[in-house]
């Protein structure tokens, strides 16, 4: 079991060896369940659409958990920074599965149809931009990237708040009618970005000449 130690004002969760990877496996468990349901033909009359939406929903859920790490440390004094990278990678994993399902199963990999669909449906364009930015964050999530980029790494990874806004709007627009799930998660993402906005603005102003 993880230990909780006191460090200044914060309670830091210290995991036992290998716990982060267990979290990764547990995080991927819903995807495995959905694959199994699909193989058993238990996803209803439109299995591709259901599969695609479920994967997208879990990407949003892990994005919310990733963004909650800082408020939890500031407001409650519990530091889960050790887990943030893995949570972020789970966001990317589910985003890849979500996009892959759309590209391969939904559109059959037809590049012409994909381009037309993305350019004519705004919510898809927003989702595509969010995925590109998320891919950049995932590619630079390594210790080597942190050392190589130095201070620029932190500035780059603040793009996650832009990703959150894009995802919130994409998630809302993906449904023909508003519902508790889409509005609820979009509102949570919006509040997490707004909560962080003043601090990000102060940092930006301090860097200004």
């Amino acid at each position: 079991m993880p230990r909780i130690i006191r460090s200044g004002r914060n309670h830091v969760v210290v995991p036992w060896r290998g716990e982060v990877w267990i979290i990764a496996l547990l995080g991927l468990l819903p995807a495995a369940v959905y694959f199994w349901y699909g193989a058993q033909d238990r996803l209803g009359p439109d299995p591709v659409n259901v599969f695609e939406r479920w994967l997208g929903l879990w990407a949003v859920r892990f994005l919310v958990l990733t963004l909650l790490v800082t408020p939890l440390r500031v407001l409650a004094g519990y530091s889960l920074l050790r887990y943030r990278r893995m949570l972020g990678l789970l966001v990317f994993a589910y985003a890849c599965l979500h996009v892959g399902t759309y590209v391969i199963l939904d559109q059959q990999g037809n590049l012409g149809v994909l381009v037309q669909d993305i350019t004519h449906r705004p919510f898809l364009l927003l989702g595509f931009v969010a995925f590109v930015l998320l891919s950049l964050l995932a590619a630079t999530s390594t210790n080597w990237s942190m050392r190589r980029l130095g201070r620029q790494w932190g500035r780059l990874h603040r793009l996650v708040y832009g990703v959150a806004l894009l995802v919130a709007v994409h998630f809302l627009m993906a449904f023909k009618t508003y519902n508790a799930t889409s509005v609820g998660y979009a509102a949570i993402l919006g509040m997490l970005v707004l909560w962080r906005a003043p601090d990000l603005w102060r940092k930006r102003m301090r860097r200004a000449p």
Side-chain angles (χ1 to χ4, degrees):
M1 295 295 292
R3 295 181 295 112
I4 299 178
I5 63 174
R6 184 87 177 185
S7 178
R9 298 180 181 179
N10 298 325
H11 295 82
V12 180
V13 178
V14 181
W16 48 272
R17 187 175 181 181
E19 184 180 11
V20 172
W21 294 105
I22 291 177
I23 291 174
L25 292 175
L26 290 176
L28 292 173
L29 185 60
V33 172
Y34 300 151
F35 274 111
W36 173 254
Y37 281 172
Q40 298 298 312
D41 196 21
R42 295 170 59 185
L43 294 180
D46 191 359
V48 173
N49 182 263
V50 171
F51 189 53
E52 185 180 325
R53 287 180 181 271
W54 274 1
L55 293 171
L57 177 58
W58 275 97
V60 172
R61 286 171 174 167
F62 280 113
L63 180 57
V64 168
L65 290 176
T66 302
L67 294 177
L68 276 173
V69 170
T70 297
L72 186 62
R73 176 176 58 83
V74 173
L75 300 177
Y78 281 89
S79 178
L80 299 176
L81 291 175
R82 169 83 180 192
Y83 303 103
R84 186 165 61 183
R85 181 186 303 182
M86 185 55 69
L87 290 172
L89 291 175
L90 284 170
V91 177
F92 180 63
Y94 275 97
C96 285
L97 292 172
H98 176 65
V99 172
T101 300
Y102 166 71
V103 172
I104 298 172
L105 299 182
D106 193 358
Q107 302 298 335
Q108 305 296 313
N110 190 317
L111 182 60
V113 174
L114 284 170
V115 172
Q116 184 177 13
D117 210 18
I118 291 173
T119 54
H120 286 78
R121 302 172 73 184
F123 85 94
L124 287 178
L125 180 58
L126 293 175
F128 176 75
V129 173
F131 180 68
V132 170
L133 294 177
L134 192 60
S135 300
L136 176 62
L137 298 182
T140 57
S141 64
T142 62
N143 291 333
W144 180 87
S145 296
M146 293 178 68
R147 292 192 299 269
R148 183 73 175 177
L149 295 174
R151 292 183 179 180
Q152 296 300 322
W153 186 90
R155 297 172 185 173
L156 174 65
H157 278 252
R158 291 188 192 115
L159 285 174
V160 69
Y161 297 101
V163 171
L165 291 177
L166 291 170
V167 168
V169 179
H170 168 79
F171 198 54
L172 276 175
M173 295 177 67
F175 294 87
K176 293 181 179 179
T177 58
Y178 295 136
N179 57 67
T181 300
S182 62
V183 173
Y185 279 106
I188 292 171
L189 288 172
M191 287 188 293
L192 287 169
V193 173
L194 287 174
W195 181 86
R196 194 78 169 95
D199 184 50
L200 295 176
W201 177 255
R202 285 193 295 269
K203 289 180 179 180
R204 180 180 179 84
M205 294 304 294
R206 284 199 296 266
R207 293 198 306 270

